[in-house]
Amino acid sequence: MARRRPMMAANWKMNKLLGEAREYVEQLLPRIEGVEGADVALFVPLTALSEVVRLTEGTPVLAGAQNFYYKDSGAFTGEVSAPMLLDVGAGAVVVGHSERREIFGETDEMVARKAARAVSAGLLPVVCIGETKEERDSGGMWEKVSGQVRAVFEHLDDDISGEAIVFAYEPIWAIGTGDTATPEDAQDATGKVRGLLGELRGEDFAGAVRILYGGSVKPGNVEEIMAQEDVDGGLVGGASLEAESFAELVNAAANV
Ligand code: 13P
């Protein structure tokens, strides 16, 4: 199976004021100049989004949001819609991050509707899936993860291409803990996800979908994780907050 174009994505989570966001982009761009072998995405707080779009205009960096709501407008206090994200120039959006699911109560159904709306709006969704420590320890990893993936396909149009959606396998026990999944665990989960995508939408579709790994990715472990056949990149929290270390990750992804 041909390898897909790698993607290295930063998830800043709830970090960085405007000035810090500006400084970061100014530090990042020269460090990744000329890198051609990977897509680069920055998922930033909404308050910094239009500024990051402006500063990355004309560069290969894709600016995106970390969440949105699947309705386009109306009485949904505190939410933003896909047209609003497009309006400020966003190209992508994280959907169903485990922090949204666990802290803010997002269900598989909501995540699926968001993924479908992002695709139909022309935003690239990075749909997060992953199990808790308890689920893994009790042998329930695949039941959880496969259920999350299947739910997404209940709402996604039949005719979308594999390039229109990205999944990120992020085992919850590996997020922000320094406790990275082993490369074998990352391959096991991403390989199973790709197998399921093949069952659901056929081999061509499955072969085109990028599946990222997230959970304590850092410069010291990125190469062995990226070396796995079904891992097409990373979704990175902590190690993406410094431009210098994120630039190292981008360069590593581009050299796979
Ligand atoms: P860390 O890289 O800090 O473990 O976070 C991973 C993550 O949740 C990215 O979305």
Side-chain angles (χ1 to χ4, degrees):
M1 190 184 290
R3 240 191 121 124
R4 296 141 295 270
R5 183 171 165 79
M7 170 180 269
M8 190 51 65
N11 175 8
W12 289 358
K13 308 193 178 183
M14 196 171 72
N15 293 291
K16 297 197 187 297
L17 304 176
L18 263 183
E20 295 166 324
R22 282 190 201 107
E23 196 182 339
Y24 179 102
V25 176
E26 279 160 18
Q27 289 175 1
L28 178 68
L29 291 178
R31 289 182 159 86
I32 61 171
E33 209 180 331
V35 172
E36 285 178 355
D39 287 344
V40 182
L42 297 178
F43 293 103
V44 308
L46 285 174
T47 46
L49 184 54
S50 54
E51 185 68 354
V52 171
V53 167
R54 190 182 69 80
L55 291 169
T56 55
E57 217 150 21
T59 78
V61 176
L62 193 60
Q66 300 168 9
N67 179 39
F68 78 111
Y69 193 54
Y70 56 82
K71 301 273 191 180
D72 283 357
S73 63
F76 304 103
T77 301
E79 295 296 321
V80 300
S81 66
M84 290 171 180
L85 295 183
L86 292 168
D87 193 33
V88 295
V93 63
V94 175
V95 172
H97 192 279
S98 59
E99 287 147 19
R100 303 265 354 139
R101 295 177 187 258
E102 305 251 308
I103 306 171
F104 301 102
E106 288 194 16
T107 61
D108 280 355
E109 160 87 14
M110 287 164 78
V111 172
R113 288 185 185 277
K114 290 180 183 199
R117 182 63 192 115
V119 172
S120 68
L123 286 163
L124 182 69
V126 176
V127 182
C128 301
I129 52 182
E131 81 287 359
T132 63
K133 178 95 177 88
E134 295 69 38
E135 286 160 342
R136 171 160 286 260
D137 290 347
S138 65
M141 180 282 274
W142 184 236
E143 190 185 336
K144 171 76 171 287
V145 171
S146 61
Q148 291 176 325
V149 173
R150 285 181 190 280
V152 169
F153 286 88
E154 289 183 11
H155 289 279
L156 220 47
D157 286 346
D158 286 336
D159 57 355
I160 74 156
S161 76
E163 284 89 7
I165 187 165
V166 174
F167 282 91
Y169 170 65
E170 298 206 313
I172 295 170
W173 46 271
I175 294 178
T177 57
D179 195 9
T180 326
T182 62
E184 293 74 26
D185 285 343
Q187 170 55 33
D188 174 62
T190 53
K192 283 183 170 138
V193 169
R194 199 175 307 286
L196 176 57
L197 297 177
E199 267 175 48
L200 293 168
R201 290 285 163 103
E203 293 305 315
D204 286 353
F205 180 88
V209 173
R210 285 181 290 185
I211 307 174
L212 313 182
Y213 167 81
S216 299
V217 174
K218 47 186 185 280
N221 61 23
V222 66
E223 277 166 27
E224 54 179 17
I225 290 172
M226 287 292 309
Q228 304 306 309
E229 184 182 342
D230 286 296
V231 176
D232 303 311
L235 180 59
V236 189
S240 80
L241 290 174
E242 297 290 334
E244 195 172 340
S245 78
F246 185 60
E248 278 185 53
L249 298 176
V250 170
N251 280 286
N255 291 327
V256 172

